[in-house]
Structures are given as C-alpha cells and as structure tokens.
Amino acid sequence: MTAQSASLAGLDLRAEIDRLRKEKNAVILAHYYQKPELQDIADFVGDSLELSRKAAETDADVIAFCGVKFMAEVAKILSPQKTVILPDVNAGCSLEDACPPEKFKAFREAHPDHIAITYINCSTEVKALSDIIVTSSSAEKILSQIPRDQKIIFGPDRHLGGYLSRKFDREMLLWPGVCIVHEAFSETELLKLKAQHPGAPIAAHPECPPTIVDHADYVGSTSGILNYAKTIDADTLIVATEPHIIHQMQLAIPGKTFIGAPGADGNCNCNICPYMALNTMEKLYISLRDLTPQIEIEEGLRLKAKESLDRMLGMASGTVGMGDLGAR
Ligand code: 13P
Ligand code: SF4
C-alpha cells in the first residue's frame, strides 16, 4: 500500500467524488478506455469527438478529464475559462510521443503544397502546426470535403491514415506513428479466435494495422463500435480495440458476449492502454479535492491550436467548409 492510498483508507471514494463534484461545480468526462469505476462515476462517457463537444459546451466551472493528456488539453483549448484537471498528468499517448513538434514543423516546411490533416491524438503544439484536426469518428466526413487535387500530410497515426487512404483511394503522406495498444493485436490469434466463434463478427478500431482491419466486419471509432454492437443479430462480438469499452457493451446489451481480440501471446483482453490505466478513483478524488494537476496552455499557442480544432468541429457537423487555410 502506498502512503497516498493509506491516507485514503476508509474513505468512500464514490461518495467523496460525488460530494466534491457538486461542491466545485465539476463535470467528470471519461473515455471508454477508462476503468469501469471511472466510467460509472462520470457524467458523460464518449469517444474523442463527443468528449471534445461536451468540453466545449459545458457550463461547469471544472472539467475533470478521465482520459489522456491530449484529451484534457483539447478541453482546455476549447474552454479556456474552465479549470481542467487530469487525475494523472503522466497519462500520455504513444501517438503524441511519435510526433515531436519540431520534426513535424520541418516535415511541413519540406512539403509546402500539402495541407496537414492531423489526428487529435497529438500535442497542442502539433495541433497548432496543423490545418484540420480529425478524430476517428469525424475523419471520413472531413476527408470527403477536401478537393481531390489537394495534397495531404496525415499524421501521426499511419494505420488510421492508411485505412483512410485505401478507403478513399487517395494518396497521402503518412507520418510513421502507431498506437502501441492497437499495434499489439495478432492476426494469427485473431483468426484462431474467429475459427472458434465462426458466427461472431469482428469490430475493429482504425488505429489497428491492416492485418486486423482487413478481417473486420465493422471499422470505426469507439462510439461507432459500441453502436455497431447494439445492431448485430449475432450473440457474440469480437472487439479489436482497448477492452475497457466492453464495460459499456455489457451495460447496454447484457445478453450478449463480447470477446476482446487477442494479442500475440493469445491472451484475450491483454491490449490495455498503459496511459489510460494511470487514472484511478483515488487520483480522481485527489485531483478534485486539490484542483490539481491542472492543464495550462499559453494563450498564443491555444488560439493557433483552436483554429484547427474549430475547423474539425465545424466540418464534422457540416456547419462550415474547409475555408481558406492561410499560412501556418
Ligand atoms: P476514439 O474514442 O475517438 O475512437 O479514439 C480512440 C483512442 O485511441 C483514444 O486514444
Ligand atoms: Fe494513445 Fe493508443 Fe492509448 Fe489511445 S489507446 S491513448 S491512441 S496509446
């Protein structure tokens, strides 16, 4: 037991978090990859696009973000007047790590005739260097609005970029980042599992490599996969994304069986995101109590990053077009 957890022993964390949420006028937002107890206590659970929209429209004074750092930063970019807290400030993302801003800037400068369409899983600095941000649920709608002769850099996820490139039959310059979680699924083990459950469809996140996505009956964001699970007739679904989303499936469709796609060692549910896993009920309680760690972003940088995020929100809802991207 750590000194911190010892000092919290005996506390009813659920009740305490509830009390603090009211006292501080806080909203708790959680991603589907969070531990079940964090999903259960959240005011809203969603995919990256839905969480961005919630962060932009909330009238709470405090946003407690149970997710990873880039998600909490998006909340701060869109709602700068709010206090945004992240239970564990070390909750990063392998895609963000794969795309250092200075390298991305140099790459952009080497390709001045390309626009940069960038996955939301990146730093605020990279957002500020990008033209349009996308999430896995908004990428197809946004890409379909870009003229076919417009050259595109897509980063930092080469698997999402590759999936879009194949689907739209459109070449893009792909940044070589990957999600370590989705990269870890094994095609051999997936096919073995499918042979055991021949009637079970496979739903995959587009962060998976083509060796997984090519076997999928459905490819989409976490919310897309959850919605797909609600529509299938089959009684079993194989889920090729971070397995904590299965919690929401079990709540929404209790009669069905959901099996996490296996990693290379053949174990199901072994693709847990180590960054998302850093957040706990204890840390959420402490961050609400002390209003720390807080997300802070320098105003000039925030405004630059907001441009590419606003373009995503507008294009995804169909209210604005691509517009004049201007110089970055
Ligand atoms: P979505 O919830 O937008 O599908 O994103 C998945 C993800 O990997 C978040 O880190
Ligand atoms: Fe990043 Fe992958 Fe974890 Fe999502 S699941 S936060 S993309 S490492």
Side-chain angles (χ1 to χ4, degrees):
M1 196 187 270
T2 64
Q4 189 179 76
S5 54
S7 73
L8 301 180
L11 271 188
D12 178 346
L13 287 173
R14 267 199 77 96
E16 284 300 304
I17 290 169
D18 231 8
R19 179 181 67 75
L20 287 168
R21 157 172 44 201
K22 289 181 196 119
E23 189 180 299
K24 314 252 170 162
N25 187 25
V27 65
I28 303 173
L29 304 182
H31 189 266
Y32 293 120
Y33 296 166
Q34 291 290 282
K35 294 177 172 68
E37 58 271 29
L38 290 170
Q39 295 187 37
D40 290 348
I41 205 157
D43 296 287
F44 181 78
V45 186
D47 73 7
S48 304
L49 181 64
E50 293 163 341
L51 290 167
S52 308
R53 287 184 171 139
K54 282 282 170 198
E57 69 196 25
T58 181
D59 54 12
D61 295 319
V62 176
I63 301 174
F65 214 114
C66 297
V68 291
K69 191 156 165 250
F70 77 80
M71 295 178 173
E73 286 179 352
V74 167
K76 187 68 183 177
I77 293 166
L78 297 173
S79 283
Q81 69 287 6
K82 317 262 181 227
T83 299
V84 178
I85 50 176
L86 178 66
D88 190 317
V89 80
N90 294 314
C93 171
S94 67
L95 283 167
E96 173 173 350
D97 293 346
C99 194
E102 59 291 351
K103 286 198 178 148
F104 187 73
K105 183 167 189 286
F107 191 69
R108 282 224 66 178
E109 284 166 2
H111 301 92
D113 53 345
H114 287 60
I115 61 166
I117 300 185
T118 307
Y119 193 31
I120 197 164
N121 300 36
C122 64
S123 64
T124 299
E125 288 79 2
V126 167
K127 287 183 179 76
L129 290 164
S130 301
D131 296 301
I132 310 171
I133 300 302
V134 295
T135 63
S136 49
S137 57
S138 60
E140 293 187 27
K141 185 159 184 192
I142 289 173
L143 195 54
S144 67
Q145 297 172 57
I146 313 288
R148 279 202 78 85
D149 59 353
Q150 173 62 61
K151 294 180 181 163
I152 296 171
I153 292 170
F154 189 94
D157 186 358
R158 73 182 165 94
H159 291 320
L160 174 61
Y163 169 74
L164 294 167
S165 177
R166 294 192 298 283
K167 182 149 186 182
F168 282 78
D169 188 22
R170 188 165 182 167
E171 256 185 57
M172 298 193 285
L173 277 181
L174 302 181
W175 189 267
V178 294
C179 161
I180 51 166
V181 172
H182 291 86
E183 178 82 345
F185 290 118
S186 156
E187 181 182 29
T188 310
E189 296 300 327
L190 179 65
L191 292 178
K192 277 193 215 162
L193 185 65
K194 177 76 184 175
Q196 289 162 23
H197 304 275
I202 298 173
H205 197 281
E207 288 175 15
C208 292
T211 48
I212 301 299
V213 158
D214 287 352
H215 297 292
D217 299 276
Y218 175 83
V219 180
S221 76
T222 49
S223 282
I225 292 174
L226 180 59
N227 290 334
Y228 174 72
K230 293 175 186 166
T231 65
I232 53 166
D233 290 329
D235 58 10
T236 302
L237 176 69
I238 298 173
V239 181
T241 192
E242 214 272 4
H244 282 112
I245 193 175
I246 290 175
H247 177 60
Q248 288 299 322
M249 294 175 178
Q250 286 165 338
L251 289 176
I253 323 134
K256 297 209 179 202
T257 303
F258 304 101
I259 308 176
D265 65 0
N267 278 335
C268 289
N269 290 1
C270 55
N271 296 66
I272 289 174
C273 174
Y275 308 103
M276 294 273 183
L278 289 174
N279 294 326
T280 60
M281 289 288 276
E282 286 82 2
K283 291 178 194 170
L284 173 60
Y285 163 74
I286 291 166
S287 66
L288 273 169
R289 183 191 67 192
D290 302 347
L291 292 184
T292 181
Q294 278 190 33
I295 302 293
E296 301 288 356
I297 301 171
E298 188 274 318
E299 185 61 4
L301 176 65
R302 184 188 76 78
L303 290 173
K304 264 279 173 238
K306 188 171 181 295
E307 283 177 35
S308 55
L309 270 170
D310 280 345
R311 207 168 272 121
M312 168 185 82
L313 292 171
M315 290 175 82
S317 62
T319 54
V320 301
M322 181 172 112
D324 179 11
L325 297 178
R328 303 298 295 170

